[in-house]
Amino acid sequence: MKEADEQLCEAAIKGDTKKVRSLIYSGADVTHFDGDGLNPLMHAAKHGHAPVLTLLLSVGAPWNALSPSNLSAGDYAMQEGHNETFELLLNAGIQSELILGTIARKANKNGDSGHDYLEDRVSFSEDKLMDSESKAVMMAWENPLMEAHAKAVCSGGGHVLNIGFGMGLVDSAIQRYAPASHTIVEAHPEVYERMLRSGWGQKENVKIVFGRWQDVLPQLETYDGIFFDTYGEYYEDLREFHQHLPALLKTGGIYSFFNGLCGSNAFFHVVYCHLVSLELENLGYSTQLIPLPVKDCLGEQVWEGVKQRYWQLDTYYLPVCQAIENPE
Ligand SMILES: C[S@@+](CC[C@H](N)C(=O)[O-])C[C@H]1O[C@@H](n2cnc3c(N)ncnc32)[C@H](O)[C@@H]1O
């Protein structure tokens, strides 16, 4: 059988649909990785063979399998500039994640640790906030991103809500826009204590709400700008938060969130950017993704002592969401 599996990879490289079909029918393994660490779907994607790729997907070749160098078929299609195979994989990814959500269930900012971060100790240093497993809750390299998020959610002035204080980077930036009111929701007891110690409770326009956003929703009002950036939560939590947007965001208001979705794989990130935009559109919001280069903020030394690199991409896509106006 091993020979047939190798032949399947070779046929996928050549784009020989007939051969691929006959090998599949005779039992060749569509998930087989050859000596180069690639499976048939990756080969088809890499060489731009759309019919072979479609056939492989239709018999269950997983769109999200990773090579030893952590690349998926979609990454190969993207790298080689094969638009058709890229689009086919993107659609396969979106369809599959809409139903199963397998990737984001595993890939939240702190990985799949299963422990309750909010019950854990955290430690603060100048350039990061870490959990008890040395995973970064927040890091200073994100400062330019937080500045840009603050600018977006403060662009209409008025009342601003931020979920997740962390190192207070986005909140310090929001303060510089002097909003009419600035509400901050924070759930971690130590982060909350630190906020109070550093004077956030005394700021005139600031209201701090201690607790999980899920539990304090009844204490919230309506806002002109909302930013969401929690930790230890999953895509489903973000999705759940989005269900509350119509009740929280004023007409004409701006919503943004930390877009770290699948931040360690370029193709999975594209899938999730599409998925979240699609789901927000279903709720009546348009999403503009503004590209911000981050390569220069991310030298090797940034990750020293950090257990997981939650971001490994060169460009950050900052989401700016607004209610879609109903055409009269
Ligand atoms: C990534 S940090 C936020 C960083 C922040 N944007 C900044 O600029 O520094 C996430 C924060 O969300 C808090 N958090 C986690 N889960 C939460 C929840 N369910 N409700 C409210 N805050 C939460 C964490 O304790 C942490 O302080």
Side-chain angles (χ1 to χ4, degrees), residues 117-118 161-165 183-188 209-221 223 226-248 255 257:
Y117 150 76
L118 292 174
L161 168 68
N162 174 42
I163 312 277
F165 181 78
T183 303
I184 307 168
V185 177
E186 174 54 51
H188 198 289
V209 181
F210 174 59
R212 293 167 71 240
W213 64 264
Q214 294 88 337
D215 302 331
V216 302
L217 282 167
Q219 295 174 52
L220 302 180
E221 293 163 47
Y223 304 91
I226 301 178
F227 181 58
F228 182 94
D229 180 13
T230 62
Y231 177 78
E233 297 197 314
Y234 292 90
Y235 183 68
E236 274 99 294
D237 299 291
L238 178 69
R239 192 193 250 165
E240 189 193 327
F241 182 73
H242 291 168
Q243 304 291 327
H244 298 283
L245 276 181
L248 293 171
Y255 166 66
F257 58 93

Side-chain angles (χ1 to χ4, degrees), residues 46-59:
K46 193 175 172 192
H47 292 88
H49 299 312
V52 171
L53 187 117
T54 307
L55 175 58
L56 288 165
L57 285 173
S58 73
V59 296

Side-chain angles (χ1 to χ4, degrees), residues 32-75:
H32 172 76
F33 282 85
D34 66 9
D36 295 330
L38 270 69
N39 65 21
L41 193 75
M42 290 167 182
H43 284 303
K46 193 175 172 192
H47 292 88
H49 299 312
V52 171
L53 187 117
T54 307
L55 175 58
L56 288 165
L57 285 173
S58 73
V59 296
W63 72 276
N64 56 355
L66 289 172
S67 70
S69 41
N70 251 344
L71 297 173
S72 69
D75 291 294

Side-chain angles (χ1 to χ4, degrees), residues 275-311:
L275 190 67
V276 74
S277 305
L278 210 85
E279 293 186 330
L280 280 162
E281 195 181 326
N282 287 339
L283 291 167
Y285 298 93
S286 67
T287 304
Q288 202 192 340
L289 293 168
I290 300 171
L292 299 176
V294 289
K295 205 176 176 183
D296 294 342
C297 331
L298 276 172
E300 272 298 306
Q301 74 291 348
V302 167
W303 300 106
E304 258 166 42
V306 179
K307 204 165 164 192
Q308 246 169 26
R309 298 182 186 210
Y310 60 84
W311 187 263

